[in-house]
Amino acid sequence: MKAVDWLKPGLQIKRWIILGLIGVLLLAYSLSYYFVGMTVNVGLQIIGGLLGVLLIYIALYFGLRSLLKDIHKIGGNLDKGKINKMIYDKKVLAKGPKIVVIGGGTGLSILLRGLKLFTSNITAIVTVADDGGGSGKLREDLGMLPPGDIRNCIIALAEMEPTMEKLLQYRFQEGTLKGQSFGNLFIASMNGISGNFEEAIKKMSEVLAVTGKVYPVTLENITLYGVLNSGTVVKGESNIPKKSIEENSPIERVFIKPKVAEGLKEAIEAIGNADVVVLGPGSLYTSILPNLLVKNIEEAIAQSFAKKVYISNMMTQPGETDGYSVIGHLEAIMKHCPKIEVDFVIANNGEIVENAYEKYQQEGASLVKITQEDRGKLKEYEISLIEDNLVEIKRDYVRHDAVKLSKIIVDIGLEETKGSSPSKKIATLKHLDRKFQD
């Protein structure tokens, strides 16, 4: 292990250990006359002894406080399993690659649940173009940014009991709050007592002990517009796929207003410092692209030295990506954001069992399959294709296997991490594999 690795932030007690050792040396110096007969100036002897005792006291006090603070975070319970996990999180996950994930919707929150098992250096940059459901109602009534996707990301990255998660995801069944989630109201309350929406998210993240960071892509109230092949311009994220189906006209392009909306400063910095920037999975036109259209987000991604990864959706979405192949999804991003050069595309090559697939077919969705044309075009674009069976089915819903997908992303991140020796990368990956085989 390199000295620089040892000095990286972990349990935050290394500094106190070093300070304590300095104190011990000073104390030993002041007592050297009694042990080895070394002649020492009496004044220096007294000062060194007092200073040594003081440094030892400070090191013990702050070192123990740092440890107890972390124990308090896990509920003050000295359960061995929880303490081991806390140490693992601090020591191992803190050294994981810096991964920025950009998107929204269910796909993003599922991926985050997988990534937090491998690294704590996660930043989720989330769309705020949502105008439907409970989020849209709060946006309209309170003039705040839509909290729904951000709520899901915070919950995905939080360390909490199952009951607390159920509470935050609970939707009221009756009255004026019908359809509204408690988590959205929690964020709305935080927003009310905070300086701005960003501060509200930070406070909620602190309360729920979130791994990594969650940022809205912008603090400005943006609206998404879609232009269909028929020429019709549709206002509102939730209306675009509906109008596309109604007119039987595919989406040609999307844009946001105000066009000059600026990306959050912290989001820009996170992209600049990342080892990997991930686009998706999520709705192409209504979750991923609204983020990339925000001023200086595309520029930040283009200028970042991070590896850029696009995760292709598992299924097409009616009114949004009907008939799209893997390359169809990617070329839509390239068309809207020509400055972004993707390095890797991750795509599923697994099949879906009949029962689950039938429900999607009835809704007009189909499996996004990798074709020879996809492979050929990606080769032309000099983009590496990583394909695997990434299918996971829960309650007849088709999702990406979050753990398997996260392993692939972390592998890319470890290759990108500067200063990591090949042996260290291999050892880390073997450790991760053992962790999920146990």
Side-chain angles (χ1 to χ4, degrees):
M1 182 174 67
K2 296 178 182 177
V4 69
D5 290 331
W6 193 81
L7 291 170
K8 285 180 181 177
L11 289 174
Q12 296 184 347
I13 62 171
K14 293 167 191 169
R15 66 197 73 175
W16 308 122
I17 292 173
I18 293 170
L19 193 66
L21 288 173
I22 293 171
V24 169
L25 289 173
L26 286 170
L27 186 59
Y29 169 76
S30 70
L31 298 174
S32 59
Y33 174 78
Y34 301 101
F35 292 112
V36 295
M38 179 178 166
T39 304
V40 180
N41 181 285
V42 176
L44 289 176
Q45 186 179 15
I46 294 171
I47 293 171
L50 290 173
L51 186 57
V53 171
L54 179 62
L55 292 181
I56 292 169
Y57 171 79
I58 291 171
L60 284 171
Y61 177 81
F62 285 101
L64 287 171
R65 194 173 79 163
S66 181
L67 280 172
L68 291 172
K69 178 183 72 175
D70 287 316
I71 290 171
H72 174 71
K73 282 182 181 178
I74 60 174
N77 187 346
L78 295 176
D79 176 77
K80 185 179 178 182
K82 287 186 177 180
I83 292 175
N84 286 341
K85 183 182 183 304
M86 183 260 298
I87 293 172
Y88 175 85
D89 289 350
K90 288 280 188 177
K91 299 292 287 181
V92 178
L93 299 186
K95 294 178 182 177
K98 295 177 183 142
I99 297 173
V100 172
V101 189
I102 302 174
T106 306
L108 178 57
S109 58
I110 288 172
L111 174 59
L112 293 176
R113 288 180 187 274
L115 283 174
K116 75 175 182 179
L117 301 173
F118 297 90
T119 177
S120 59
N121 298 313
I122 306 167
T123 301
I125 298 174
V126 189
T127 178
V128 287
D130 186 9
D131 64 357
S135 287
K137 191 171 183 182
L138 285 175
R139 181 177 183 174
E140 184 180 342
D141 291 347
L142 303 179
M144 64 179 287
L145 294 176
D149 285 347
I150 289 174
R151 178 198 78 233
N152 286 331
C153 290
I154 288 175
I155 292 172
L157 290 174
E159 294 297 335
M160 65 176 79
E161 297 298 324
T163 303
M164 186 63 177
E165 181 171 346
K166 285 180 182 177
L167 175 63
L168 290 169
Q169 294 286 36
Y170 174 75
R171 289 190 181 275
F172 294 90
Q173 304 299 316
E174 304 291 340
T176 55
L177 292 177
K178 185 177 180 180
Q180 191 61 262
S181 80
F182 178 76
N184 282 357
L185 297 178
F186 188 2
I187 296 177
S189 302
M190 279 290 191
N191 189 55
I193 63 171
S194 304
N196 56 39
F197 190 72
E198 179 196 2
E199 187 183 331
I201 299 309
K202 284 181 181 177
K203 286 180 180 177
M204 185 173 179
S205 298
E206 288 170 6
V207 169
L208 298 177
V210 166
T211 298
K213 294 178 175 65
V214 178
Y215 294 129
V217 68
T218 180
L219 293 180
E220 297 187 44
N221 188 18
I222 61 172
T223 302
L224 185 68
Y225 290 78
V227 180
L228 307 184
N229 274 359
S230 62
T232 302
V233 178
V234 187
K235 179 182 179 181
E237 172 265 338
S238 61
N239 296 322
I240 295 170
K242 290 177 187 175
K243 195 68 176 176
S244 174
I245 293 171
E246 183 185 309
E247 292 195 5
N248 192 26
S249 179
I251 299 169
E252 174 63 27
R253 63 184 177 92
V254 291
F255 62 94
I256 60 169
K257 285 187 179 181
K259 291 183 179 180
V260 293
E262 290 199 2
L264 192 71
K265 180 185 173 185
E266 288 83 353
I268 301 296
E269 289 175 354
I271 292 168
N273 293 325
D275 296 313
V276 184
V277 173
V278 181
L279 309 178
S283 302
L284 177 62
Y285 289 105
T286 53
S287 288
I288 298 173
L289 282 170
N291 293 295
L292 306 183
L293 295 174
V294 172
K295 184 182 175 183
N296 56 15
I297 291 290
E298 178 188 2
E299 195 73 36
I301 296 172
Q303 292 179 359
S304 174
F305 291 107
K307 293 296 182 186
K308 288 87 177 181
V309 178
Y310 172 65
I311 302 172
S312 175
N313 285 348
M314 196 84 70
M315 308 291 295
T316 61
Q317 290 182 270
E320 192 157 343
T321 54
D322 299 280
Y324 275 41
S325 62
V326 172
I327 201 68
H329 285 79
L330 180 64
E331 286 183 335
I333 293 174
M334 294 166 72
K335 174 183 172 182
H336 284 79
C337 308
K339 292 180 182 178
I340 296 176
E341 295 182 2
V342 173
D343 299 298
F344 295 88
V345 168
I346 302 174
N348 167 61
N349 62 11
E351 295 293 333
I352 300 173
V353 294
E354 229 172 272
N355 291 344
Y357 196 22
E358 187 178 342
K359 184 186 76 171
Y360 282 89
Q361 286 180 311
Q362 289 172 355
E363 294 173 355
S366 59
L367 183 66
V368 178
K369 295 184 177 180
I370 305 168
T371 64
Q372 285 304 118
E373 183 185 356
D374 291 331
R375 293 186 177 92
K377 285 245 182 152
L378 288 170
K379 194 172 181 180
E380 280 179 33
Y381 291 134
E382 297 183 348
I383 297 172
S384 300
L385 171 65
I386 300 174
E387 51 182 298
D388 202 342
N389 182 355
L390 300 172
V391 176
E392 184 175 67
I393 299 173
K394 288 186 177 178
R395 299 174 188 169
D396 285 339
Y397 284 97
V398 178
R399 300 283 185 255
H400 282 91
D401 184 322
V403 172
K404 191 180 284 189
L405 185 57
S406 297
K407 279 185 181 181
I408 295 170
I409 294 168
V410 169
D411 191 359
I412 294 169
L414 289 172
E415 290 297 323
E416 179 64 9
T417 303
K418 298 166 182 64
S420 294
S421 65
S423 59
K424 181 179 176 183
K425 294 170 189 171
I426 292 166
T428 306
L429 286 172
K430 283 182 178 176
H431 170 77
L432 296 174
D433 284 334
R434 282 199 304 273
K435 174 175 165 57
F436 290 99
Q437 285 168 2
D438 292 342

